[in-house]
Amino acid sequence: MREFDAIVIGVGGMGSATVYHLARRGQQVLGLEQFDIAHDLGSSHGVTRIIRMAYPEGAGYVPLLRRAYELWHDLETRAGERLLYVTGCVDAGAPDSATVRGSLETCRQFGLEHQALDARALHEKFPGYRLPDGMVAVLQPDGGFLLPERCIIHYVKAAQNLGTEIHTRERVMGWDSSRGGVEVRTEHEAYRARRLVITAGPWASQLCPLLQKLAIAERQVVLWAQPPRPELFQPGAFPVFNLEAPEGRFYGCPVYAVPGFKIGKYHHRRENVDPARVDREIHPEDEAVLRQGIRRYFPDADGPALAMKTCMFTNSPDEHFIIDALPGGDAYPETENVYIAAGFSGHGFKFASVVGEIMTDLALDGGARYSDQLSMFRLARFYGTAE
Ligand SMILES: Cc1cc2nc3c(=O)[nH]c(=O)nc-3n(C[C@H](O)[C@H](O)[C@H](O)COP(=O)(O)OP(=O)(O)OC[C@H]3O[C@@H](n4cnc5c(N)ncnc54)[C@H](O)[C@@H]3O)c2cc1C
């Protein structure tokens, strides 16, 4: 049986960064991926992913975002390719909405440059936005978007340059762990390693039963609409957005690659799914959900659909990430040396660069460097166990 220092199951957003960071620390790494390197069957496809610095989801994310930006720029340098486009980010909603309040709070707490605008001022600055009177916006200039498929490809390339083996179209069927190390069985072969990192996205709970009620896959749909006024939705003229509206929370990006304005809605139609059986067809009800957002808030983008795609979130109960070592120790020797990154709850991609670094630190040194941030991602929070 072939032996490695570390095996990573799932080479998508988080796994591609993890194989790279492990390899950079001198580990002999095997990355196992059931599909292709960059594919459209998981959570990390669809051309663009928003990255933003003001973070209504919690102030604890901001230090990680600072590091994530640094690491994305580092990857751009290695790749010789632009992977992060800065457009500014608009967090909008009612003045007392969690999105607006949370965005302002993190801007103030961390001294982030920002501007508070009412709906009219936002429209004057960026005419593609037509929010109703009464809504307000926080404009934070560091926001923008990443190119997820290109990020994954470049992390894999960089890891391969450091000697990492990547096996695609090789599904992991199961693993066993003990004090001595880990054995991983795929549909083709079995491998041994000193440590195992599971970054399996929507499939995480299938590989780690502990996550069955903690990392739940949910079907999502995004739409690219051909704007009748395309000039209003170009990257220089239209910041990415995160809009808390009465209908739900919409997000979107300016025109990039696909010549359309991209919009999605968090939790789309609230369809929890088995990732192996997710419905990848697009239905009229899917378009209706997103059209509502376009017509009401971005009417100058209300043209024909150019593309629609399904994707999956993996939700944790509190929508914060799950990043931890499995319990291990004398009580659970069968999960010793196993580390998990899951439950990214629809907002994880922007962090993939730093998650790769965190998983490496966790697996090699117990994660001391990030211990402050990791406390909010520990599994134990779901069991009411004090750390
Ligand atoms: C529509 C949509 C829009 C989003 N927008 C944003 C955004 O704007 N900004 C943002 O930050 N985040 C966003 N997110 C969330 C973000 O994309 C995810 O949090 C992130 O991509 C999750 O990465 P992952 O590595 O966990 O999953 P994935 O990238 O899906 O990777 C998991 C990998 O594991 C592989 N795998 C699983 N099981 C096995 C097995 N048994 N054997 C081998 N391989 C296996 C899978 O094939 C897959 O490649 C969005 C998500 C969706 C769906």
Side-chain angles (χ1 to χ4, degrees):
M1 202 183 295
R2 295 191 54 209
E3 293 209 19
F4 296 83
D5 294 329
I7 293 178
V8 176
I9 306 179
V11 190
M14 307 301 162
S16 60
T18 304
V19 291
Y20 166 71
H21 284 286
L22 281 166
R24 210 167 156 205
R25 293 278 305 271
Q27 298 286 293
Q28 246 330 302
V29 184
L30 171 63
L32 294 167
E33 169 54 50
Q34 62 183 341
F35 301 129
D36 293 333
I37 294 307
H39 61 81
D40 63 359
L41 303 170
S43 298
S44 301
H45 57 278
V47 189
T48 49
R49 282 290 181 274
I50 293 170
I51 180 163
R52 47 193 163 83
M53 196 69 167
Y55 219 67
E57 289 84 345
Y61 288 94
V62 177
L64 295 180
L65 283 161
R66 288 207 160 115
R67 183 67 181 144
Y69 270 86
E70 270 173 27
L71 290 168
W72 288 124
H73 289 312
D74 179 62
L75 183 64
E76 284 184 312
T77 307
R78 269 164 217 287
E81 188 177 311
R82 191 157 172 202
L83 302 169
L84 196 169
Y85 287 75
V86 173
T87 59
C89 178
V90 166
D91 286 318
D96 63 348
S97 60
T99 299
V100 169
R101 277 192 296 115
S103 180
L104 276 174
E105 259 165 46
T106 52
C107 286
R108 287 176 186 145
Q109 187 175 341
F110 292 92
L112 304 176
E113 192 183 334
H114 67 284
Q115 230 181 319
L117 301 166
D118 64 17
R120 191 161 305 176
L122 181 68
H123 173 68
E124 274 163 22
K125 206 168 170 68
F126 303 115
Y129 283 85
R130 287 185 186 269
L131 306 188
D133 285 345
M135 274 197 184
V136 294
V138 181
L139 173 66
Q140 206 290 316
D142 297 313
F145 60 87
L146 290 153
L147 309 182
E149 291 92 342
R150 301 300 301 158
C151 292
I152 291 171
I153 286 169
H154 283 297
Y155 263 137
V156 166
K157 268 194 192 171
Q160 286 174 322
N161 288 342
L162 294 167
T164 294
E165 262 186 54
I166 302 287
H167 295 189
T168 57
R169 300 181 181 232
E170 186 168 347
R171 176 170 296 132
V172 173
M173 310 307 285
W175 54 269
D176 289 299
S177 181
S178 63
R179 282 281 154 81
V182 185
E183 190 180 311
V184 175
R185 297 177 306 284
T186 74
E187 51 197 349
H188 306 313
E189 236 179 294
Y191 308 93
R192 284 193 61 76
R194 291 167 66 188
R195 38 189 80 85
L196 171 64
V197 180
I198 302 176
T199 47
W203 291 266
S205 65
Q206 295 181 357
L207 286 160
C208 183
L210 193 68
L211 296 178
Q212 220 122 52
K213 294 203 167 100
L214 304 179
I216 295 170
E218 186 192 13
R219 178 178 177 273
Q220 306 297 314
V221 174
V222 291
L223 160 69
W224 286 261
Q226 185 179 344
R229 297 191 59 195
E231 72 282 5
L232 303 186
F233 297 93
Q234 300 304 313
F238 190 85
V240 299
F241 68 88
N242 177 25
L243 165 63
E244 188 175 329
E247 301 85 356
R249 212 169 124 209
F250 294 100
Y251 57 87
C253 288
V255 173
Y256 181 85
V258 179
F261 159 78
K262 182 182 178 184
I263 188 166
K265 185 178 161 198
Y266 280 90
H267 304 305
H268 189 60
R269 290 167 58 207
R270 298 200 175 268
E271 300 165 285
N272 289 348
V273 293
D274 170 351
R277 291 189 190 83
V278 59
D279 178 6
R280 296 186 195 279
E281 295 292 312
I282 303 291
H283 306 283
E285 296 85 340
D286 292 318
E287 184 166 349
V289 166
L290 302 172
R291 275 290 158 204
Q292 193 183 28
I294 299 180
R295 291 199 173 129
R296 182 121 199 246
Y297 306 109
F298 307 98
D300 294 308
D302 191 20
L306 282 173
M308 293 185 76
K309 269 263 177 227
T310 61
C311 189
M312 283 179 277
F313 282 1
T314 311
N315 299 314
S316 76
D318 59 6
E319 299 195 3
H320 292 301
F321 308 158
I322 299 171
I323 299 180
D324 210 345
L326 292 188
D330 288 340
Y332 303 99
E334 71 281 8
T335 55
E336 187 82 25
N337 305 311
V338 182
Y339 306 86
I340 178 94
F344 288 95
S345 306
H347 62 117
F349 193 87
K350 62 183 82 61
F351 297 91
S353 57
V354 68
V355 169
E357 185 169 76
I358 292 172
M359 296 317 289
T360 300
D361 280 19
L362 253 185
L364 302 186
D365 330 304
R369 174 158 44 149
Y370 289 106
S371 58
D372 285 356
Q373 281 77 36
L374 280 177
S375 58
M376 67 191 274
F377 302 141
R378 297 272 186 211
L379 270 166
R381 73 189 190 270
F382 299 117
Y383 301 112
T385 327
E387 281 271 281

